[in-house]
Amino acid sequence: MKAFLTIGLVAMTTWGLHAEKKNTEAEMNNKNLFFETYATPFNVPPFDKIRMEDYKPAFLKGMEEHKKDIDAIVNNQASPDFENTIVALDRCGNLLRNVRTVFSGLNSANTTDEMQELNREMSPLMSQHYDDINLNPQLFNRVKQVYDRQNSLNLNKEQKKLLEETYKSFVRNGANLPEEKQKRLRELNSQISLLQLTFGQNMLKETNAFQLVIDKQEDLSGLPQSLINVAADEAKATGKEGQWIFTLHNPSVMPFLQFSDKRELREKIFNGYINRGNNSNDADNKEVVKQLVTLRLEKAKLMGYEDYAAFALEERMAKNEKNVYELLDNVWAPALSKAKEEAADLQAMMKKDGIEGELKGWDWQYYNEKVKKEKYDIDENEIRPYFKLENVLDGLFYVVNKLYNISFTEIKDIPKPHEDAMAFECKNADGTHRGVLYMDFFPRSSKRGGAWCGTYRSQTYKDGERVGPVVTIVCNFTKPSAGQPALLSLDESETMFHEFGHALHNLFKDVHYYGVSNVPRDFVELPSQIMEHWVLEPEVLKVYAKHYQTGEVMPESLVKKIDNSSKYGQGFATAEYLQASFLDMDYHVLKEIPSSFDILKFEAGSMNRRGALSQIPPRYRTTYFNHTMGGGYTAGYYSYMWSEVLDADAFEAFKETGNIFDKKTAEKFRDFILVPGSIDDAMEMYKNFRGKEPGIEPLLKNRGLK
């Protein structure tokens, strides 16, 4: 009996250990990883283990903890000072910052219906949460007390900038408004946030909804085999094997317009593209836009400005509407003149083809390709084989290593935002860690269109040590097809260099406070756009432009053809960009918006009064202009042109030395442009690098408009 009891106790003890182990495993499997320190290489987010059900509790707890942090600052009995108020405010809310960053990144690159629904649910809560902080009178009082005695605080330059930005942020978010106006501001912020979110979700839905299905071999006439193969793969994946599907994602629609011999099919896909969000269905964006611009104007007036552009531009390099329009107008006249020359060339080529009637929008890229081939003996399909994606990446790494002595090593065993993404560790010349970079190249229905660079963790400091950022580049490049690697167009190659410039900006940034991390919107494109200048430099081409089959370097004869033809088509490219920039500004300089406001009539009026060609729609028409209507570049799409003035002039600094990899010039660009965040005024940063303000001449020269 005694022996039995002993065995029973042992068995019970063993069972208890197993049960405890099972419970522990269950807890481990069910725990919310946002509440833990990430146990991953370089502390990147554990993308592979984060579950959909983790987000909402993390958002709610993040807001709760952030509120407690704010309460601790407000209730601090010590007199307000830089550390206990300004720095404490800058550092608080870490959990919320983490979950927002991860959710936002994944929602853009790999969204689901559940994520979009949660985004809509969280949007008003987040708007209310940040309004509660920005409109907290006790908190603002503490900030103001520190701000008012800044001259006696012995702050360094970075600390002064943080204090200035913190104070201005409260004022620009309504802290000085009377209570009734603050109440209305809260309502406006919530409505604007939800409308911007709705606009982006509608745009994604519209882009994914359209398919051009081809079931006859003869309707593929003119299309490159690589594009045909991808279209066949797309059809097979959707259960239509033996057919071909072309979509509104750029790697599909743009080459189709460029090469398809079937004019009626070009017209169909062109109209599908330019009418996204304008189909009078449940994803129509016309009413969304009308409400957005109306509410933005009301917010601007509530804040004491005559229109929304005046409110937005106050914190940018441009400073005011007059300066923006002056830049756009100065480039518009030569761009329109060049576009008219190109249109005449294309019309003549159409006539050669026996096509009577007026050149249309769906004809432009097709006949532009034909004219270029005739004038310069060049064909886009002749170029692509030399731009294998992996080779372009090698060229990029070569350029940044030559300029900045940094290297990139692929990391295999690390969580990734998506299985298609690649991960790299960026190291300094001495082998020390600088940051992690993800690159996600190809389109999918869960990814929004375009290309962008973001972060899953911004560069920061912890215990006096620099913590490297986790950066992501997301693109929609041409997919590899059966038996063929991903072969990029020249435009896609330039896009990769462009986004890598943003990545470098994030990787080199070295600031101690989040509040001085972000540069003005019209400065942010300088680091990205200057990188494009190296794409076609002969020394760089020799490194990466190798035929994917033979390994031969691109022949000098082809390089010369590219160079000779590089300015052709700039009338079209510049005009379509400027038209979108004008459109963005025109909406946001409105002083009144009538109840009968018609979005399409307004858009047509914006184009017509400047004499825009009917064959060149704006790069983004209103109903899919996510840069401005989705937020981010609101009254700011001009920024690309503003920054191009800077980047064209900045690259001249390299060329003037006779060496595009001049170390001294690269060091100055790194130290004065990439490193400081917004510690210095943007124009001062540029002058520190260049020694003078930029002129517009290099831009006009680069675009062939002079």
Side-chain angles (χ1 to χ4, degrees):
M1 184 64 155
K2 199 171 185 179
F4 173 79
L5 285 173
T6 304
I7 294 168
L9 285 170
V10 172
M12 287 175 66
T13 304
T14 305
W15 178 87
L17 288 171
H18 282 308
E20 185 178 339
K21 185 177 180 183
K22 279 185 177 180
N23 288 337
T24 304
E25 287 175 351
E27 288 170 8
M28 289 289 287
N29 289 334
N30 291 320
K31 72 179 181 179
N32 193 318
L33 293 173
F34 287 114
F35 302 156
E36 310 285 335
T37 300
Y38 298 153
T40 56
F42 308 108
N43 297 117
V44 303
F47 300 107
D48 53 335
K49 292 185 171 62
I50 295 172
R51 304 162 303 171
M52 184 62 214
E53 56 265 34
D54 291 337
Y55 288 115
K56 184 174 179 178
F59 270 117
L60 297 176
K61 187 175 181 182
M63 285 187 275
E64 180 187 343
E65 289 189 0
H66 197 189
K67 185 179 183 303
K68 288 178 181 176
D69 292 340
I70 297 298
D71 289 344
I73 297 171
V74 169
N75 297 322
N76 191 333
Q77 296 303 302
S79 297
D81 61 27
F82 183 76
E83 286 294 328
N84 70 22
T85 300
I86 306 303
V87 174
L89 184 57
D90 186 72
R91 296 278 163 81
C92 69
N94 279 330
L95 173 58
L96 185 57
R97 183 182 293 113
N98 288 346
V99 66
R100 282 189 74 191
T101 304
V102 173
F103 180 83
S104 176
L106 293 178
N107 191 42
S108 295
N110 192 31
T111 193
T112 63
D113 291 343
E114 292 80 9
M115 292 184 84
Q116 293 187 48
E117 182 56 40
L118 179 61
N119 208 6
R120 296 184 67 83
E121 182 183 350
M122 288 294 109
S123 177
L125 298 181
M126 294 294 289
S127 178
Q128 178 184 331
H129 173 74
Y130 283 104
D131 280 341
D132 286 345
I133 295 171
N134 293 321
L135 301 175
N136 184 318
Q138 293 86 7
L139 180 61
F140 179 55
N141 182 51
R142 288 184 69 93
V143 170
K144 191 174 185 303
Q145 286 186 58
V146 181
Y147 181 78
D148 286 345
R149 52 191 182 83
Q150 59 184 293
N151 293 333
S152 65
L153 299 179
N154 194 30
L155 302 177
N156 64 32
K157 185 166 65 173
E158 185 176 7
Q159 292 168 332
K160 285 179 182 177
K161 189 59 182 281
L162 176 64
L163 176 55
E164 178 187 333
E165 291 299 316
T166 303
Y167 176 77
K168 282 198 302 185
S169 176
F170 274 92
V171 173
R172 285 178 59 78
N173 280 290
N176 277 332
L177 293 177
E179 188 174 338
E180 276 305 304
K181 287 189 174 181
Q182 286 188 353
K183 181 181 177 183
R184 179 56 183 155
L185 181 63
R186 287 174 176 271
E187 295 169 353
L188 290 170
N189 286 340
S190 180
Q191 292 170 43
I192 289 170
S193 175
L194 192 56
L195 284 167
Q196 290 178 167
L197 179 63
T198 300
F199 185 96
Q201 291 183 353
N202 285 349
M203 182 184 154
L204 179 64
K205 190 185 296 183
E206 285 280 87
T207 300
N208 286 333
F210 180 93
Q211 291 184 340
L212 176 62
V213 182
I214 290 179
D215 55 10
K216 297 176 184 174
Q217 185 87 34
E218 58 267 28
D219 285 342
L220 302 172
S221 176
L223 298 176
Q225 190 60 47
S226 58
L227 182 64
I228 293 171
N229 292 345
V230 171
D233 292 342
E234 186 78 26
K236 185 176 180 181
T238 55
K240 295 180 179 177
E241 189 166 3
Q243 298 179 328
W244 299 268
I245 290 180
F246 299 89
T247 71
L248 299 184
H249 294 285
N250 272 10
S252 183
V253 62
M254 293 308 166
F256 191 94
L257 289 170
Q258 193 174 2
F259 296 111
S260 174
D261 292 332
K262 298 295 182 178
R263 193 178 189 217
E264 68 281 6
L265 294 180
R266 295 201 310 269
E267 179 181 3
K268 187 173 182 180
I269 201 168
F270 176 86
N271 285 330
Y273 185 81
I274 68 165
N275 283 302
R276 287 174 294 166
N278 181 31
N279 291 303
S280 300
N281 55 19
D282 62 351
D284 194 279
N285 269 330
K286 292 191 290 293
E287 183 61 29
V288 176
V289 170
K290 180 181 174 180
Q291 291 180 46
L292 258 178
V293 294
T294 302
L295 295 176
R296 284 173 177 166
L297 176 58
E298 183 183 349
K299 176 177 177 176
K301 289 185 173 182
L302 191 71
M303 296 298 297
Y305 299 83
E306 64 176 358
D307 56 49
Y308 191 85
F311 172 65
L313 292 169
E314 185 180 58
E315 292 297 290
R316 298 186 187 149
M317 291 183 76
K319 302 302 182 188
N320 58 59
E321 299 156 14
K322 177 179 176 292
N323 291 337
V324 174
Y325 278 116
E326 186 177 322
L327 169 66
L328 299 179
D329 288 337
N330 283 341
V331 185
W332 174 249
L336 182 60
S337 175
K338 185 65 71 174
K340 287 178 178 178
E341 289 178 21
E342 293 167 4
D345 288 346
L346 307 191
Q347 188 77 61
M349 181 61 76
M350 271 184 68
K351 195 169 183 180
K352 270 189 183 181
D353 267 4
I355 306 289
E356 297 297 329
E358 187 186 8
L359 178 77
K360 298 292 186 181
W362 50 89
D363 297 317
W364 194 289
Q365 293 186 63
Y366 178 74
Y367 283 104
N368 183 74
E369 184 68 21
K370 283 198 161 195
V371 170
K372 276 179 75 172
K373 192 167 185 178
E374 183 179 80
K375 278 179 175 280
Y376 305 102
D377 188 28
I378 191 166
D379 183 344
E380 173 73 35
N381 293 317
E382 186 182 2
I383 299 171
R384 274 185 186 265
Y386 293 94
F387 288 151
K388 179 182 171 183
L389 185 147
E390 292 80 1
N391 291 349
V392 177
L393 199 53
D394 288 343
L396 248 179
F397 292 159
Y398 171 82
V399 169
V400 297
N401 179 259
K402 288 271 286 185
L403 288 170
Y404 305 116
N405 293 321
I406 56 174
S407 62
F408 290 83
T409 308
E410 187 174 2
I411 316 167
K412 294 287 190 182
D413 189 18
I414 192 171
K416 297 174 183 177
H418 189 274
E419 60 184 9
D420 291 346
M422 300 176 72
F424 300 89
E425 181 187 6
C426 177
K427 295 179 183 177
N428 299 307
D430 61 3
T432 54
H433 177 75
R434 176 148 288 278
V436 172
L437 172 66
Y438 290 107
M439 300 189 80
D440 180 3
F441 296 115
F442 306 119
R444 49 182 173 266
S445 60
S446 62
K447 182 192 287 188
R448 69 176 171 87
W452 66 94
C453 176
T455 58
Y456 285 108
R457 180 178 69 227
S458 295
Q459 174 271 323
T460 186
Y461 271 82
K462 184 176 182 181
D463 300 327
E465 296 291 325
R466 181 183 184 275
V467 178
V470 179
V471 185
T472 181
I473 290 174
V474 187
C475 304
N476 282 275
F477 290 158
T478 304
K479 290 180 179 179
S481 58
Q484 197 174 60
L487 301 177
L488 305 187
S489 67
L490 176 56
D491 182 66
E492 287 173 327
S493 301
E494 289 173 341
T495 297
M496 188 189 289
F497 272 69
H498 177 106
E499 298 305 334
F500 212 87
H502 284 308
L504 291 177
H505 200 180
N506 282 297
L507 289 165
F508 275 115
K509 193 181 301 174
D510 196 351
V511 298
H512 293 81
Y513 308 107
Y514 293 110
V516 295
S517 185
N518 296 323
V519 297
R521 175 61 67 189
D522 45 11
F523 186 84
V524 77
E525 297 299 334
L526 166 59
S528 57
Q529 290 178 181
I530 194 172
M531 283 297 296
E532 296 178 41
H533 290 271
W534 276 272
V535 175
L536 291 176
E537 285 293 322
E539 180 181 343
V540 181
L541 284 171
K542 287 175 183 176
V543 171
Y544 81 90
K546 299 174 181 177
H547 197 284
Y548 80 99
Q549 289 173 318
T550 66
E552 292 179 12
V553 174
M554 182 182 286
E556 287 188 20
S557 58
L558 183 54
V559 175
K560 190 173 182 180
K561 287 180 187 179
I562 294 172
D563 185 55
N564 290 340
S565 66
S566 62
K567 304 296 189 289
Y568 194 82
Q570 279 299 318
F572 172 90
T574 309
E576 68 159 4
Y577 165 76
L578 289 172
Q579 287 168 210
S581 299
F582 280 126
L583 188 57
D584 171 35
M585 287 299 297
D586 290 351
Y587 275 117
H588 294 106
V589 298
L590 289 171
K591 310 297 188 287
E592 300 294 337
I593 299 173
S595 58
S596 59
F597 189 62
D598 187 309
I599 297 300
L600 299 182
K601 284 183 180 178
F602 182 83
E603 177 182 286
S606 176
M607 300 302 103
N608 292 339
R609 70 173 172 269
R610 295 183 173 94
L613 301 183
S614 62
Q615 301 93 339
I616 307 179
R619 181 174 296 176
Y620 300 102
R621 292 191 64 200
T622 302
T623 55
Y624 55 91
F625 199 170
N626 202 41
H627 282 77
T628 181
M629 297 306 168
Y633 282 81
T634 305
Y637 193 63
Y638 74 90
S639 298
Y640 291 92
M641 186 63 69
W642 189 278
S643 291
E644 190 173 342
V645 172
L646 301 176
D647 79 67
D649 184 74
F651 192 65
E652 285 292 308
F654 285 91
K655 294 178 75 173
E656 286 164 8
T657 69
N659 177 11
I660 60 168
F661 293 109
D662 181 67
K663 290 291 186 186
K664 186 177 179 182
T665 307
E667 285 172 9
K668 287 178 68 177
F669 191 83
R670 179 194 64 205
D671 294 344
F672 293 127
I673 304 296
L674 301 178
V675 169
S678 62
I679 295 172
D680 292 317
D681 173 79
M683 186 55 79
E684 287 305 310
M685 284 196 284
Y686 189 80
K687 289 193 292 187
N688 288 340
F689 161 68
R690 190 69 166 109
K692 65 181 181 67
E693 290 194 8
I696 198 173
E697 296 301 310
L699 177 148
L700 296 175
K701 180 182 172 185
N702 282 351
R703 284 185 172 255
L705 302 177
K706 183 175 173 59

